[in-house]
Amino acid sequence: MRMSHIAICVSDWERSLRFYHDQLGFRFVDEFELTGSYAEGLYGVKGVAIRAAYLEREGVRIELREFTAPKRTISSASRQEGFARDVSFDRPGLFHLSLRVDDLDAALAEFAAARVEILESYRADATPGELGRDSPARRAAFI
């Protein structure tokens, strides 16, 4: 298991890019958008749209993420829309830690044996690179 990136939800895209790039010295790696049926399936919310960018410094990769639509907070209603946990699209801060594993099923079995709650596991229909030019991700799990 190895660290992939730390995702941070931001509310002011330009200001956040300036801060992480200009003040903290992160170098720009990639920028992409998640929209359409893939994003809707991932988040369980109709019309969701995300702007994201990867930045790196000294081997640390961060993903800045701005939810451009919908511009509303989704709390317990998100469970009714098919998402396994409460989500707030307009709350800045840590969004997720992403880890890479060679065998997701084996990792999930290990977590289950350790009594770690598996919130959601799914196969996404993304092709390698759809989540950023260098992302091989096709399956994911939330724990």
Side-chain angles (χ1 to χ4, degrees):
M1 187 176 310
R2 55 205 176 280
M3 189 67 172
S4 172
H5 65 273
I6 301 165
I8 303 166
C9 190
V10 301
S11 60
D12 184 326
W13 185 254
E14 295 301 326
R15 187 178 98 192
S16 297
L17 282 177
R18 283 193 309 271
F19 174 73
Y20 285 97
H21 181 267
D22 299 348
Q23 271 69 53
L24 297 183
F26 279 82
R27 115 185 128 71
F28 180 82
V29 175
D30 192 14
E31 185 171 353
F32 58 97
E33 291 186 359
L34 295 173
T35 59
S37 61
Y38 176 74
E40 290 173 358
L42 188 60
Y43 293 100
V45 177
K46 282 281 189 206
V48 69
I50 300 111
R51 177 180 4 191
Y54 285 123
L55 295 97
E56 282 185 354
R57 179 179 176 183
E58 298 170 12
V60 174
R61 178 177 279 207
I62 62 172
E63 175 191 353
L64 298 183
R65 177 175 281 227
E66 180 185 40
F67 286 81
T68 56
K71 285 292 188 184
R72 63 185 171 103
T73 299
I74 299 174
S75 58
S76 59
S78 63
R79 292 179 192 264
Q80 297 167 0
E81 295 182 37
F83 198 54
R85 61 193 169 120
D86 293 343
V87 178
S88 175
F89 292 115
D90 57 358
R91 188 175 304 143
L94 178 66
F95 191 74
H96 67 253
L97 300 177
S98 177
L99 304 170
R100 287 187 182 190
V101 296
D102 294 324
D103 184 338
L104 181 60
D105 295 322
L108 289 174
E110 230 178 274
F111 286 127
R115 296 191 173 143
V116 173
E117 182 182 5
I118 309 298
L119 299 175
E120 194 169 7
S121 178
Y122 59 90
R123 175 175 167 29
D125 290 329
T127 57
E130 190 171 344
L131 302 178
R133 279 187 270 283
D134 65 346
S135 173
R138 292 191 64 124
R139 293 182 65 209
F142 294 102
I143 58 170

